Amino acid sequence: MQAFTKKDILDMTSLSVEEMSLILDTAERMKEISERPVKKVPTLRGKTVILFFYEPSTRTRTSFDIAAKRLSADSISLSGSTSSMVKGETLLDTARNLEAMKPDIIVLRHSSSGAPYILAKSLKASIVNAGDGMHAHPSQSLLDMLTVREHRGKLKGLRISIIGDITHSRVARSNCVGFSKMGAHVTVCAPPTLIPKGMASSYGVHVTHQMKEAVADADVIMMLRIQKERQSGFFFPSEREYSRLYGLNREMMAYAKSDVLIMHPGPINRGLEISPEVADGPHSIILDQVTSGIAVRMAILYLVTGGA
Ligand code: CP
């Protein structure tokens, strides 16, 4: 078996196709552990994982915590608001103090793009990026790929439409890189104000502002929420207007392929970017994404600590 030699997982750009495939294959093997009556193996016994979340999270934080525990690692959670960063300590000083406690892995979510790179350069512990600003969310992209691969048996050649607030989305950026590298054809769709200029040339993706085109073409539709917490201006006239033009509802689903898969990284804003009947409908694999998240994060924790 091929060895995984990276100390850190920071983004999808720095992972090769072989490394992504190794993570997905390892995650596939890890899935079975979560189906057992006793959901625990001793693989990472004696290892310490610090979950340092400087931004809110339901899925990613819980998922990394469960993944660490299922592998018998000791996991410790620290949030920005309960750390000494509120007293003025810098991220790097906080991280150096955490490192002095000899963790093996620090999983970091931070509102500033690039924060995990500062830690990766300075610390011996493996750094796993759990989402940095608008930049990258590699474990989300990997779990999205695993979920699609399980449903379709492949990624190569599939048409993936990512629809919503592309500008502020680290999930969109990571998935544009990840899915494209794996041979899928990615389309991004939003109003012009919610797609960064140069997206097509920088990421090699197709850009459209026509929701019907993005829906009709797709094997997989990935909806994204409007990230109000990262927006400082007015990107569309009103939520009602946005929902009418770019919301995925029953009427819009009439243009989709009969076997289309509907995804969303969460959290969803029901009734804004996706209607309840689509989010909970027969095409939705949104909760499968969450289940895949545990296996992918088990694989990541295992591989960065030297497993293969
Ligand atoms: N998808 C995702 O990152 O969700 P959380 O913000 O809940 O972790």
Side-chain angles (χ1 to χ4, degrees), residues 21-97:
S21 300
L22 178 59
I23 295 170
L24 297 183
D25 293 345
T26 307
E28 215 165 75
R29 287 191 279 122
M30 293 285 183
K31 266 216 154 161
E32 172 270 327
I33 296 166
S34 295
E35 302 301 326
R36 297 180 191 177
V38 178
K39 304 173 183 63
K40 211 173 183 70
V41 292
T43 313
L44 293 188
R45 193 160 51 198
K47 302 284 185 193
T48 304
V49 181
I50 295 180
L51 309 173
F52 189 14
F53 276 63
Y54 205 68
E55 251 193 0
S57 166
T58 297
R59 281 144 289 267
T60 313
R61 182 180 189 144
T62 313
S63 183
F64 268 115
D65 199 7
I66 290 173
K69 288 182 166 74
R70 291 206 174 147
L71 294 173
S72 300
D74 298 308
S75 66
I76 292 96
S77 272
L78 182 65
S79 63
S81 59
T82 56
S83 79
S84 286
M85 287 179 75
V86 292
K87 300 175 193 166
E89 190 169 63
T90 66
L91 171 66
L92 190 53
D93 278 333
T94 300
R96 282 186 177 136
N97 279 272

Side-chain angles (χ1 to χ4, degrees), residues 210-244:
Q210 304 302 322
M211 175 88 173
K212 280 180 195 162
E213 180 196 332
V215 166
D217 240 16
D219 299 301
V220 176
I221 298 173
M222 185 180 296
M223 299 304 296
L224 301 176
R225 79 187 167 93
I226 299 292
Q227 300 205 22
K228 292 176 199 164
E229 74 276 22
R230 295 191 212 283
Q231 295 186 2
S232 52
F234 294 99
F235 291 87
F236 46 86
S238 69
E239 289 190 357
R240 207 173 134 153
E241 176 88 349
Y242 178 84
S243 188
R244 193 175 64 77

